[in-house]
């Protein structure tokens, strides 16, 4: 069974990125995936405290809801992450999760001693984002973080869906073609994850 983790990173549970990710989840389920959905907004998660308790065995020592997310990440074959653009970066909820995943980075590069230039991928990832404005560089900052974040999780950035000009809650509904694209991409993502598992 293909296991996909869908992470909602917006504080708005019915916002633009949430609606888009929800469509991608529907598409992935249509293609046969088992999808676990996590709304970061609902979790109690401390930011990384940089105490490096994870140096022992790669597991963060802060006891909060991150422990559940950590297990879900380990258990997944594919990860779909959605975050709005906040000041040319990901949302604070998303960034807190990313920083807590330094524990994955420590496991990979310090404990298992995999050199940073050697990239091994055991998972695939899809990133979904939206911003209000329309500039060329709107997603550059977020994409740089997201790419390095997924590398730490051993996840290849398989695809990205980036939408400009969406601001108010539900604006994306004015663009059914965006929602359709998210659904079909969720389906293709599941198929790509399945294909990778079979090889
Ligand atoms: C704190 C904050 C910062 C934002 N910064 C940007 C920005 O830098 N560029 C931009 O185009 N939109 C910015 N926006 C607008 C959001 O990206 C936009 O409303 C997006 O559609 C929200 O997605 P959501 O509904 O999934 O939360 C910002 C909104 C907030 C609340």
């Amino acid at each position: 069974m293909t296991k996909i983790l869908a992470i909602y990173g917006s504080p708005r549970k019915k916002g633009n990125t949430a609606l888009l990710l929800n469509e991608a989840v529907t598409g992935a389920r249509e293609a046969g995936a088992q999808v676990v959905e996590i709304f970061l907004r609902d979790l109690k998660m401390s930011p990384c405290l940089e105490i490096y308790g994870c140096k022992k065995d790669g597991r963060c020592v802060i006891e909060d809801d991150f422990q559940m997310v950590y297990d879900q990440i380990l258990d997944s074959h594919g990860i779909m992450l959605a975050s709005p653009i906040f000041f040319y970066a990901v949302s604070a909820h998303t960034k807190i999760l990313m920083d807590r995943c330094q524990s994955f980075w420590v496991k990979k590069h310090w404990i298992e001693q995999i050199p940073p230039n050697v990239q091994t991928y055991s998972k695939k990832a899809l990133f979904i984002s939206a911003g209000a404005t329309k500039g060329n560089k709107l997603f550059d900052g977020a994409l740089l973080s997201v790419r390095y974040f997924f590398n730490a999780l051993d996840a290849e950035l398989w695809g990205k869906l980036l939408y400009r000009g969406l601001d108010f809650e539900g604006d994306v509904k004015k663009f059914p073609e965006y929602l359709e694209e998210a659904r079909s991409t969720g389906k293709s993502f599941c198929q790509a994850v399945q294909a990778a598992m079979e090889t």
Side-chain angles (χ1 to χ4, degrees):
M1 173 63 86
T2 310
K3 292 183 189 171
I4 291 179
L5 179 61
I7 302 173
Y8 293 80
S10 171
R12 293 203 287 215
K13 291 178 78 175
K14 292 188 177 159
N16 297 311
T17 55
L19 293 172
L20 288 158
L21 180 55
N22 188 254
E23 286 297 317
V25 166
T26 303
R29 285 186 174 137
E30 282 167 356
Q34 178 188 307
V35 185
V36 171
E37 293 172 275
I38 290 180
F39 290 83
L40 296 181
R41 159 82 196 252
D42 291 342
L43 305 186
K44 293 264 178 294
M45 212 189 287
S46 159
C48 173
L49 299 178
E50 224 181 343
I51 49 178
Y52 281 108
C54 55
K55 255 165 64 174
K56 197 167 148 248
D57 60 4
R59 185 147 199 145
C60 180
V61 294
I62 304 169
E63 286 295 338
D64 62 12
D65 288 339
F66 175 70
Q67 298 297 334
M68 175 277 287
V69 182
Y70 183 92
D71 288 335
Q72 290 294 346
I73 291 172
L74 283 181
D75 200 37
S76 67
H77 306 112
I79 300 169
M80 304 196 287
L81 171 70
S83 170
I85 295 299
F86 284 179
F87 288 98
Y88 288 86
V90 293
S91 68
H93 289 83
T94 307
K95 189 57 165 58
I96 285 176
L97 171 70
M98 285 180 164
D99 290 353
R100 290 293 293 280
C101 287
Q102 176 71 351
S103 44
F104 283 93
W105 190 95
V106 163
K107 184 162 187 286
K108 188 169 172 176
H109 297 298
W110 286 0
I111 299 173
E112 293 167 6
Q113 305 217 323
I114 297 172
N117 56 335
V118 175
Q119 199 49 68
T120 53
Y121 293 126
S122 58
K123 303 179 197 295
K124 292 193 186 296
L126 171 67
F127 178 57
I128 298 176
S129 191
T133 56
K134 296 195 171 167
N136 279 344
K137 296 187 174 175
L138 180 55
F139 299 103
D140 287 7
L143 279 175
L144 197 55
S145 301
V146 161
R147 204 176 282 281
Y148 278 97
F149 165 64
F150 281 133
N151 277 353
L153 307 188
D154 241 9
E156 176 193 10
L157 184 59
W158 171 89
K160 44 193 192 290
L161 292 173
L162 310 172
Y163 299 103
R164 294 172 168 82
L166 302 178
D167 198 2
F168 297 106
E169 190 169 56
D171 265 358
V172 71
K173 290 187 199 158
K174 295 180 212 153
F175 301 92
E177 67 275 23
Y178 294 176
L179 294 165
E180 233 163 75
E181 185 180 38
R183 192 163 174 152
S184 68
T185 304
K187 206 178 262 188
S188 316
F189 179 65
C190 173
Q191 287 159 350
V193 173
Q194 261 160 3
M197 285 165 64
E198 283 158 15
T199 53

